[in-house]
Amino acid sequence: MTIPTIKAKGISVSLDLTVGHIADMVVEGGGRQLKPLHRAPWVDTRETLPDNLPEGTVRLSGDFLCAPFSRSDVEEAPLHGWPANSAWDAVESAATDDGWRAVFRLRHKVMGASVDKILTLRDGHPFLYQEHVFSGGHGAISVAHHPMTAMTGGGRLAFSPKRFAATLDDPLEPDPARGRFMLAYPARSADLSHFPATGGGTLDLTEYRMEDRREDFLTLVEADHGGPGWTALARRAEEDLVLVLKNPAELPVTMLWFSNGGRDYAPWSGRHLGVLGIEDGRAAVGHTASIGDNWLKHEGVATAFALGEGQSVSFRHVIGAVPLSGGEPPQELTTADGRMRLAAGGATREIPFDSDFLRIGQSVAA
Protein backbone atom coordinates (compact mmCIF):
# COMPACT_ATOMS: atom_id res chain seq x y z
CA MET A 1 0.00 0.00 0.00
CA THR A 2 1.44 3.37 -1.03
CA ILE A 3 -0.79 5.41 1.34
CA PRO A 4 -0.81 3.75 4.78
CA THR A 5 -2.94 5.25 7.56
CA ILE A 6 -2.09 5.41 11.25
CA LYS A 7 -4.69 6.05 13.93
CA ALA A 8 -5.17 6.93 17.58
CA LYS A 9 -8.33 7.85 19.44
CA GLY A 10 -9.83 10.86 17.67
CA ILE A 11 -7.22 11.24 14.92
CA SER A 12 -5.89 9.56 11.77
CA VAL A 13 -3.06 10.45 9.39
CA SER A 14 -2.28 8.99 5.94
CA LEU A 15 1.14 9.26 4.27
CA ASP A 16 1.71 9.05 0.51
CA LEU A 17 4.85 6.91 0.43
CA THR A 18 5.57 7.71 -3.22
CA VAL A 19 6.61 11.27 -2.25
CA GLY A 20 6.45 11.48 1.55
CA HIS A 21 3.49 13.88 1.59
CA ILE A 22 0.71 13.64 4.16
CA ALA A 23 -2.24 12.68 1.96
CA ASP A 24 -4.91 13.13 4.63
CA MET A 25 -5.36 14.09 8.26
CA VAL A 26 -8.68 13.77 10.07
CA VAL A 27 -9.34 15.05 13.60
CA GLU A 28 -12.59 14.25 15.38
CA GLY A 29 -13.93 17.19 17.35
CA GLY A 30 -17.30 18.58 18.36
CA GLY A 31 -19.10 15.72 16.64
CA ARG A 32 -17.41 16.60 13.33
CA GLN A 33 -14.45 15.45 11.27
CA LEU A 34 -11.93 18.26 10.81
CA LYS A 35 -9.56 18.14 7.82
CA PRO A 36 -6.88 20.78 8.38
CA LEU A 37 -4.63 19.88 5.42
CA HIS A 38 -4.93 20.60 1.69
CA ARG A 39 -4.59 18.25 -1.27
CA ALA A 40 -4.10 19.79 -4.73
CA PRO A 41 -7.15 19.50 -7.00
CA TRP A 42 -5.26 17.63 -9.75
CA VAL A 43 -3.96 14.81 -7.53
CA ASP A 44 -5.36 11.39 -8.55
CA THR A 45 -7.62 12.90 -11.25
CA ARG A 46 -5.82 11.15 -14.14
CA GLU A 47 -5.72 14.44 -16.01
CA THR A 48 -2.77 15.11 -18.30
CA LEU A 49 -0.20 17.29 -16.56
CA PRO A 50 2.84 19.12 -17.95
CA ASP A 51 5.77 16.74 -18.52
CA ASN A 52 8.35 18.70 -16.53
CA LEU A 53 6.56 18.83 -13.16
CA PRO A 54 8.44 17.55 -10.11
CA GLU A 55 6.74 14.51 -8.60
CA GLY A 56 6.14 16.54 -5.45
CA THR A 57 4.00 18.97 -7.45
CA VAL A 58 2.17 16.13 -9.23
CA ARG A 59 1.15 14.70 -5.82
CA LEU A 60 1.08 17.98 -3.85
CA SER A 61 -0.55 17.28 -0.50
CA GLY A 62 -0.78 18.06 3.19
CA ASP A 63 2.70 18.50 4.59
CA PHE A 64 6.10 17.28 3.50
CA LEU A 65 9.77 17.69 4.32
CA CYS A 66 11.81 20.05 2.17
CA ALA A 67 15.56 19.30 2.23
CA PRO A 68 16.78 21.58 0.84
CA PHE A 69 14.05 24.20 0.77
CA SER A 70 13.32 25.38 -2.80
CA ARG A 71 16.19 25.01 -5.32
CA SER A 72 18.43 21.95 -5.16
CA ASP A 73 21.51 23.69 -6.54
CA VAL A 74 24.22 21.91 -4.51
CA GLU A 75 23.27 18.27 -4.97
CA GLU A 76 21.12 17.39 -7.97
CA ALA A 77 17.49 16.82 -6.95
CA PRO A 78 14.00 18.16 -7.79
CA LEU A 79 12.44 21.28 -6.23
CA HIS A 80 12.46 20.93 -2.41
CA GLY A 81 14.76 17.91 -2.63
CA TRP A 82 14.32 14.13 -2.64
CA PRO A 83 12.30 14.00 0.62
CA ALA A 84 9.45 15.83 -1.15
CA ASN A 85 9.68 13.98 -4.47
CA SER A 86 10.65 10.34 -3.99
CA ALA A 87 9.78 7.12 -2.22
CA TRP A 88 9.79 6.39 1.51
CA ASP A 89 9.60 2.97 3.16
CA ALA A 90 7.78 2.04 6.36
CA VAL A 91 10.36 0.87 8.91
CA GLU A 92 8.15 0.60 12.00
CA SER A 93 4.44 1.09 12.67
CA ALA A 94 2.84 -0.07 15.90
CA ALA A 95 0.44 0.85 18.66
CA THR A 96 1.89 2.42 21.82
CA ASP A 97 0.42 2.60 25.30
CA ASP A 98 -1.31 5.87 24.41
CA GLY A 99 -1.60 5.94 20.62
CA TRP A 100 0.51 5.05 17.58
CA ARG A 101 4.07 5.57 16.38
CA ALA A 102 5.41 5.01 12.86
CA VAL A 103 8.87 5.43 11.34
CA PHE A 104 9.49 5.93 7.61
CA ARG A 105 12.85 6.09 5.83
CA LEU A 106 13.68 7.94 2.63
CA ARG A 107 15.19 5.63 -0.02
CA HIS A 108 17.43 8.42 -1.32
CA LYS A 109 20.28 9.86 0.70
CA VAL A 110 20.45 13.65 1.18
CA MET A 111 24.01 14.97 1.18
CA GLY A 112 25.01 11.43 2.12
CA ALA A 113 22.65 11.35 5.13
CA SER A 114 19.85 8.89 5.73
CA VAL A 115 16.54 10.55 6.60
CA ASP A 116 13.85 9.20 8.93
CA LYS A 117 10.34 10.58 9.39
CA ILE A 118 8.75 9.72 12.76
CA LEU A 119 5.00 10.25 13.13
CA THR A 120 3.37 10.00 16.56
CA LEU A 121 -0.33 10.16 17.45
CA ARG A 122 -1.65 10.23 21.02
CA ASP A 123 -5.12 9.18 22.12
CA GLY A 124 -7.33 12.23 22.63
CA HIS A 125 -4.74 14.69 21.26
CA PRO A 126 -5.88 16.60 18.14
CA PHE A 127 -2.25 16.82 16.94
CA LEU A 128 0.23 15.09 14.66
CA TYR A 129 3.67 15.07 16.29
CA GLN A 130 6.50 14.81 13.75
CA GLU A 131 10.24 14.40 14.01
CA HIS A 132 12.79 14.18 11.20
CA VAL A 133 16.24 12.73 11.80
CA PHE A 134 19.28 13.10 9.50
CA SER A 135 21.99 10.53 10.25
CA GLY A 136 25.51 10.91 8.88
CA GLY A 137 26.18 12.84 5.70
CA HIS A 138 28.43 15.78 4.91
CA GLY A 139 28.21 19.53 4.38
CA ALA A 140 25.04 21.30 5.45
CA ILE A 141 21.36 21.14 4.57
CA SER A 142 18.49 23.60 4.76
CA VAL A 143 15.14 22.20 5.87
CA ALA A 144 11.49 23.18 6.15
CA HIS A 145 8.10 21.68 6.76
CA HIS A 146 5.50 22.54 4.11
CA PRO A 147 2.02 22.19 5.66
CA MET A 148 -0.77 23.59 3.52
CA THR A 149 -4.32 24.31 4.58
CA ALA A 150 -7.20 25.53 2.44
CA MET A 151 -10.24 27.72 3.05
CA THR A 152 -13.49 28.30 1.20
CA GLY A 153 -14.42 31.44 3.14
CA GLY A 154 -11.11 32.92 4.20
CA GLY A 155 -9.77 33.19 7.72
CA ARG A 156 -7.89 35.08 10.40
CA LEU A 157 -4.29 34.45 11.45
CA ALA A 158 -2.37 34.89 14.68
CA PHE A 159 1.27 34.19 15.46
CA SER A 160 3.79 33.86 18.23
CA PRO A 161 5.89 37.05 18.52
CA LYS A 162 7.86 37.85 15.35
CA ARG A 163 10.72 40.30 14.84
CA PHE A 164 9.53 41.23 11.36
CA ALA A 165 8.15 39.95 8.05
CA ALA A 166 9.99 40.36 4.75
CA THR A 167 9.48 39.56 1.08
CA LEU A 168 12.20 38.53 -1.35
CA ASP A 169 13.67 40.72 -4.06
CA ASP A 170 11.25 39.33 -6.66
CA PRO A 171 7.69 37.95 -6.55
CA LEU A 172 6.85 34.33 -7.41
CA GLU A 173 4.83 35.38 -10.46
CA PRO A 174 6.23 38.61 -11.93
CA ASP A 175 4.74 38.03 -15.42
CA PRO A 176 1.12 39.30 -15.52
CA ALA A 177 0.42 36.89 -18.38
CA ARG A 178 1.05 33.98 -15.99
CA GLY A 179 -0.09 35.20 -12.59
CA ARG A 180 -0.40 37.98 -10.06
CA PHE A 181 0.74 39.15 -6.63
CA MET A 182 -0.26 41.77 -4.07
CA LEU A 183 2.70 42.35 -1.74
CA ALA A 184 5.61 44.69 -2.47
CA TYR A 185 8.97 43.04 -3.35
CA PRO A 186 11.33 43.57 -1.63
CA ALA A 187 9.65 44.94 1.50
CA ARG A 188 9.78 44.58 5.26
CA SER A 189 7.59 45.41 8.26
CA ALA A 190 7.58 44.74 11.98
CA ASP A 191 3.79 45.27 11.98
CA LEU A 192 2.13 42.22 10.42
CA SER A 193 -1.15 44.07 10.07
CA HIS A 194 0.47 46.72 7.86
CA PHE A 195 2.73 45.18 5.22
CA PRO A 196 3.64 47.20 2.09
CA ALA A 197 1.46 46.40 -0.94
CA THR A 198 2.65 46.39 -4.54
CA GLY A 199 0.48 49.31 -5.60
CA GLY A 200 1.10 51.41 -2.52
CA GLY A 201 -0.59 51.32 0.84
CA THR A 202 -0.51 48.24 3.07
CA LEU A 203 -2.10 44.81 3.48
CA ASP A 204 -3.01 42.95 6.67
CA LEU A 205 -1.09 39.66 6.80
CA THR A 206 -3.39 38.38 9.54
CA GLU A 207 -6.40 38.40 7.19
CA TYR A 208 -6.85 35.81 4.40
CA ARG A 209 -9.39 37.23 1.94
CA MET A 210 -10.85 34.98 -0.74
CA GLU A 211 -11.41 37.89 -3.12
CA ASP A 212 -7.65 38.60 -3.25
CA ARG A 213 -6.40 36.53 -6.19
CA ARG A 214 -2.69 36.29 -5.56
CA GLU A 215 0.51 34.27 -5.32
CA ASP A 216 2.63 35.75 -2.53
CA PHE A 217 5.53 34.50 -0.44
CA LEU A 218 7.17 36.07 2.61
CA THR A 219 9.28 35.13 5.62
CA LEU A 220 8.49 35.78 9.29
CA VAL A 221 11.47 35.82 11.66
CA GLU A 222 10.80 34.61 15.18
CA ALA A 223 11.37 36.97 18.10
CA ASP A 224 13.14 35.85 21.28
CA HIS A 225 10.26 34.93 23.59
CA GLY A 226 11.21 31.60 25.19
CA GLY A 227 8.13 29.64 24.12
CA PRO A 228 7.06 27.57 21.13
CA GLY A 229 6.73 29.23 17.75
CA TRP A 230 3.14 28.98 16.56
CA THR A 231 0.72 29.91 13.82
CA ALA A 232 -3.05 29.76 14.38
CA LEU A 233 -5.53 30.02 11.52
CA ALA A 234 -9.24 30.43 12.25
CA ARG A 235 -10.99 29.15 9.11
CA ARG A 236 -14.39 30.83 8.82
CA ALA A 237 -16.42 28.45 6.66
CA GLU A 238 -14.79 25.36 8.16
CA GLU A 239 -15.42 26.65 11.72
CA ASP A 240 -12.14 25.32 13.05
CA LEU A 241 -8.73 26.42 14.24
CA VAL A 242 -5.64 25.05 12.49
CA LEU A 243 -2.53 25.07 14.70
CA VAL A 244 1.09 24.69 13.60
CA LEU A 245 3.90 24.66 16.18
CA LYS A 246 7.70 24.49 16.19
CA ASN A 247 10.77 25.02 18.34
CA PRO A 248 12.19 28.39 17.18
CA ALA A 249 15.72 27.27 18.09
CA GLU A 250 15.39 24.48 15.51
CA LEU A 251 13.19 26.23 12.91
CA PRO A 252 13.67 30.00 13.33
CA VAL A 253 11.58 31.22 10.38
CA THR A 254 8.00 30.74 9.22
CA MET A 255 7.45 31.21 5.50
CA LEU A 256 3.92 32.00 4.38
CA TRP A 257 2.70 31.05 0.91
CA PHE A 258 -0.56 32.73 -0.09
CA SER A 259 -1.84 30.73 -3.09
CA ASN A 260 -5.29 31.90 -4.08
CA GLY A 261 -5.84 31.61 -7.82
CA GLY A 262 -2.66 33.54 -8.52
CA ARG A 263 -1.22 31.19 -11.16
CA ASP A 264 -2.93 30.83 -14.54
CA TYR A 265 -0.77 28.09 -16.09
CA ALA A 266 -1.12 24.30 -15.69
CA PRO A 267 -1.53 22.54 -13.39
CA TRP A 268 -2.53 25.52 -11.20
CA SER A 269 -4.83 27.02 -13.85
CA GLY A 270 -6.46 29.52 -11.51
CA ARG A 271 -8.07 26.71 -9.46
CA HIS A 272 -5.60 26.48 -6.57
CA LEU A 273 -7.82 28.51 -4.26
CA GLY A 274 -7.80 29.52 -0.62
CA VAL A 275 -4.50 27.77 0.10
CA LEU A 276 -2.04 28.90 2.76
CA GLY A 277 1.35 27.29 3.23
CA ILE A 278 2.70 27.66 6.79
CA GLU A 279 6.29 26.60 6.21
CA ASP A 280 8.44 26.50 9.33
CA GLY A 281 12.07 26.17 8.42
CA ARG A 282 15.78 26.67 8.87
CA ALA A 283 16.43 27.96 5.38
CA ALA A 284 16.87 30.71 2.88
CA VAL A 285 15.50 30.16 -0.63
CA GLY A 286 17.72 27.57 -2.32
CA HIS A 287 20.44 25.27 -1.01
CA THR A 288 23.38 27.40 -2.16
CA ALA A 289 21.90 30.52 -0.61
CA SER A 290 21.13 28.71 2.64
CA ILE A 291 24.67 27.44 3.21
CA GLY A 292 26.34 30.61 1.92
CA ASP A 293 25.96 34.27 2.70
CA ASN A 294 22.33 35.40 2.81
CA TRP A 295 20.11 38.14 4.23
CA LEU A 296 18.83 35.99 7.10
CA LYS A 297 22.34 35.27 8.35
CA HIS A 298 22.90 39.02 8.48
CA GLU A 299 19.95 39.10 10.90
CA GLY A 300 21.55 36.41 13.07
CA VAL A 301 19.21 33.66 11.81
CA ALA A 302 20.50 30.13 11.13
CA THR A 303 19.60 28.80 7.68
CA ALA A 304 21.02 25.23 7.64
CA PHE A 305 21.99 22.28 9.82
CA ALA A 306 25.55 20.93 9.68
CA LEU A 307 25.81 17.23 8.81
CA GLY A 308 28.63 14.84 9.67
CA GLU A 309 29.60 11.18 9.74
CA GLY A 310 28.68 9.56 13.02
CA GLN A 311 26.40 12.48 13.89
CA SER A 312 22.65 12.96 13.77
CA VAL A 313 20.47 16.06 13.54
CA SER A 314 16.77 16.15 14.36
CA PHE A 315 13.95 18.69 14.54
CA ARG A 316 10.32 18.46 15.58
CA HIS A 317 7.02 19.93 14.43
CA VAL A 318 3.31 19.75 15.34
CA ILE A 319 0.11 20.18 13.30
CA GLY A 320 -3.38 20.11 14.80
CA ALA A 321 -6.97 21.27 14.56
CA VAL A 322 -9.85 21.94 16.96
CA PRO A 323 -13.43 23.14 16.44
CA LEU A 324 -13.91 26.90 16.66
CA SER A 325 -16.94 29.13 16.27
CA GLY A 326 -16.66 32.87 15.86
CA GLY A 327 -13.70 32.94 13.50
CA GLU A 328 -11.13 34.60 15.77
CA PRO A 329 -7.73 32.99 16.52
CA PRO A 330 -6.17 33.07 20.00
CA GLN A 331 -4.25 36.10 21.19
CA GLU A 332 -1.96 33.93 23.27
CA LEU A 333 -0.86 30.28 23.20
CA THR A 334 1.09 28.56 25.98
CA THR A 335 2.03 24.93 26.64
CA ALA A 336 2.79 23.31 30.00
CA ASP A 337 1.93 20.26 32.11
CA GLY A 338 0.50 18.24 29.23
CA ARG A 339 -1.89 21.00 28.12
CA MET A 340 -2.13 23.74 25.54
CA ARG A 341 -3.86 26.91 26.68
CA LEU A 342 -5.45 29.22 24.13
CA ALA A 343 -6.43 32.68 25.34
CA ALA A 344 -8.83 34.89 23.38
CA GLY A 345 -11.23 37.65 24.40
CA GLY A 346 -10.73 37.06 28.11
CA ALA A 347 -11.52 33.34 27.85
CA THR A 348 -9.06 30.45 28.08
CA ARG A 349 -9.43 27.06 26.42
CA GLU A 350 -7.35 23.99 27.27
CA ILE A 351 -6.45 21.12 24.93
CA PRO A 352 -4.43 17.93 25.59
CA PHE A 353 -0.89 18.49 24.28
CA ASP A 354 2.52 16.88 24.77
CA SER A 355 4.21 19.95 26.22
CA ASP A 356 7.64 18.25 26.31
CA PHE A 357 7.66 17.19 22.66
CA LEU A 358 9.11 20.37 21.09
CA ARG A 359 12.09 20.41 23.48
CA ILE A 360 11.72 24.13 24.20
CA GLY A 361 14.76 25.42 26.07
CA GLN A 362 16.98 22.47 25.23
CA SER A 363 20.24 22.82 23.29
CA VAL A 364 20.04 22.41 19.51
CA ALA A 365 22.67 21.16 17.07
CA ALA A 366 24.08 23.87 14.80
Side-chain angles (χ1 to χ4, degrees):
M1 181 183 294
T2 58
I3 306 184
T5 298
I6 63 173
K7 297 180 179 181
K9 184 178 179 180
I11 187 169
S12 66
V13 171
S14 303
L15 186 69
D16 184 345
L17 292 180
T18 61
V19 287
H21 293 213
I22 295 173
D24 197 19
M25 176 177 173
V26 180
V27 177
E28 297 175 11
R32 297 188 291 136
Q33 290 194 332
L34 311 180
K35 294 196 169 190
L37 295 180
H38 166 66
R39 191 164 171 83
W42 55 82
V43 178
D44 295 331
T45 62
R46 299 182 182 274
E47 68 180 86
T48 301
L49 299 175
D51 293 335
N52 60 347
L53 288 182
E55 196 62 22
T57 303
V58 171
R59 303 200 58 77
L60 184 67
S61 301
D63 176 39
F64 51 90
L65 172 65
C66 306
F69 180 78
S70 187
R71 294 183 296 274
S72 297
D73 49 9
V74 172
E75 182 177 63
E76 185 176 355
L79 180 73
H80 292 319
W82 292 118
N85 292 275
S86 64
W88 294 71
D89 293 314
V91 177
E92 302 173 27
S93 187
T96 62
D97 290 342
D98 63 349
W100 200 277
R101 181 180 183 272
V103 181
F104 304 92
R105 183 162 296 150
L106 183 67
R107 291 182 190 174
H108 267 277
K109 295 290 181 71
V110 175
M111 298 295 289
S114 64
V115 183
D116 285 356
K117 181 190 300 283
I118 305 169
L119 306 184
T120 302
L121 303 179
R122 299 192 186 281
D123 292 336
H125 289 218
F127 297 103
L128 165 63
Y129 301 95
Q130 290 191 74
E131 181 174 13
H132 285 95
V133 183
F134 287 70
S135 300
H138 55 85
I141 187 70
S142 63
V143 301
H145 276 266
H146 202 292
M148 299 165 289
T149 188
M151 295 154 276
T152 57
R156 291 280 297 172
L157 284 150
F159 306 94
S160 54
K162 309 298 182 190
R163 286 169 53 195
F164 62 88
T167 49
L168 302 173
D169 288 344
D170 299 299
L172 297 177
E173 298 298 339
D175 184 351
R178 290 169 59 83
R180 61 206 60 81
F181 58 95
M182 295 186 69
L183 299 179
Y185 293 81
R188 173 172 171 153
S189 177
D191 183 354
L192 302 188
S193 63
H194 292 85
F195 194 89
T198 185
T202 62
L203 289 171
D204 185 354
L205 299 179
T206 69
E207 177 78 20
Y208 195 112
R209 294 163 24 113
M210 295 302 294
E211 59 266 36
D212 292 343
R213 293 295 189 256
R214 62 195 292 202
E215 207 75 20
D216 276 307
F217 178 85
L218 72 160
T219 299
L220 311 184
V221 175
E222 202 75 18
D224 295 327
H225 53 77
W230 56 271
T231 301
L233 170 65
R235 301 192 296 178
R236 288 195 183 91
E238 293 76 14
E239 293 188 318
D240 63 12
L241 182 69
V242 178
L243 296 161
V244 180
L245 297 97
K246 63 177 184 177
N247 182 341
E250 296 175 351
L251 306 174
V253 300
T254 297
M255 296 166 282
L256 297 181
W257 174 37
F258 291 81
S259 184
N260 188 32
R263 285 175 170 155
D264 297 331
Y265 53 92
W268 314 91
S269 305
R271 59 180 167 166
H272 200 246
L273 298 170
V275 178
L276 178 69
I278 303 168
E279 305 164 20
D280 293 323
R282 189 185 188 94
V285 174
H287 198 172
T288 295
S290 295
I291 64 176
D293 190 36
N294 62 68
W295 70 277
L296 283 165
K297 284 186 179 177
H298 296 170
E299 298 285 350
V301 178
T303 53
F305 281 113
L307 303 174
E309 288 302 322
Q311 302 175 21
S312 67
V313 169
S314 71
F315 52 94
R316 295 180 174 184
H317 194 253
V318 181
I319 303 170
V322 293
L324 177 72
S325 59
E328 286 299 322
Q331 296 155 334
E332 185 180 6
L333 184 156
T334 56
T335 61
D337 305 320
R339 311 290 288 177
M340 175 185 291
R341 293 171 180 84
L342 305 173
T348 300
R349 177 181 185 180
E350 291 197 0
I351 306 166
F353 182 76
D354 183 350
S355 51
D356 295 326
F357 180 77
L358 288 174
R359 305 182 290 204
I360 303 299
Q362 299 182 28
S363 60
V364 175

